Amino acid sequence: MTDDQIYSGKIKTPLGDMLACVSDEGLYLLEFTDRKKYDRQINGLKKYFNSEIAEGEHFFITKVQNQMNEYFSGKLKVFKIPLIFSGTDFQKKVWNALSEIPYGKTVSYSDIAKRIKNPKAVRAVANAVAANKIAIIIPCHRVTGKNGTLTGYASGLDKKKFLLDIEKNV
């Protein structure tokens, strides 16, 4: 939990606006503003940290914008910003496993379940992936169906395909 003020600001991307929520500790949330259940993600963050979110400028918002610009231009493969997770221990384990997926590679939900040493938890892994509050940086877009098909992306499969295409073409 944090006593720091959480600030929010818009991040511009070729796929549309994103909202970044940060404090002096790091990044709490990065979501496309047209994401399914967007409000649920924001409200969950407020509840988890028992904090309001104030719109405002912050050096981490600027840093996220700069790194996103580099990512979308194909120059950045590894983000360098501290991340603050808001979720259960199981979700955090899944998100850490997602963070280890190399740039330009994809894995299946069952691969993630095996990585966290819980191979029967494929459905729970899929739910944890869907609950990820830090899009792109925690690369849930790199998770596909077992046969490599594009499946489930709360911001839309068109965005998922775009992100994977960026990573393939670099």
Side-chain angles (χ1 to χ4, degrees), residues 10-36:
K10 292 279 196 260
I11 303 293
K12 300 286 185 188
T13 79
L15 291 173
D17 288 347
M18 297 183 83
L19 183 73
C21 292
V22 303
S23 76
D24 292 345
E25 293 180 39
L27 179 66
Y28 293 81
L29 179 138
L30 182 64
E31 284 292 1
F32 287 102
T33 57
D34 63 353
R35 178 200 199 279
K36 290 179 191 172

Side-chain angles (χ1 to χ4, degrees), residues 156-170:
L157 291 180
D158 56 329
K159 285 183 174 75
K160 184 173 190 163
K161 182 177 181 334
F162 188 95
L163 295 169
L164 291 173
D165 286 347
I166 287 173
E167 295 182 10
K168 281 182 193 169
N169 293 326
V170 174

Side-chain angles (χ1 to χ4, degrees), residues 60-78:
F60 272 137
I61 293 172
T62 302
K63 189 171 184 172
V64 171
Q65 179 67 71
N66 292 339
Q67 288 188 24
M68 293 303 286
N69 292 344
E70 290 180 32
Y71 170 81
F72 279 102
S73 69
K75 296 176 187 166
L76 181 78
K77 295 182 180 180
V78 178

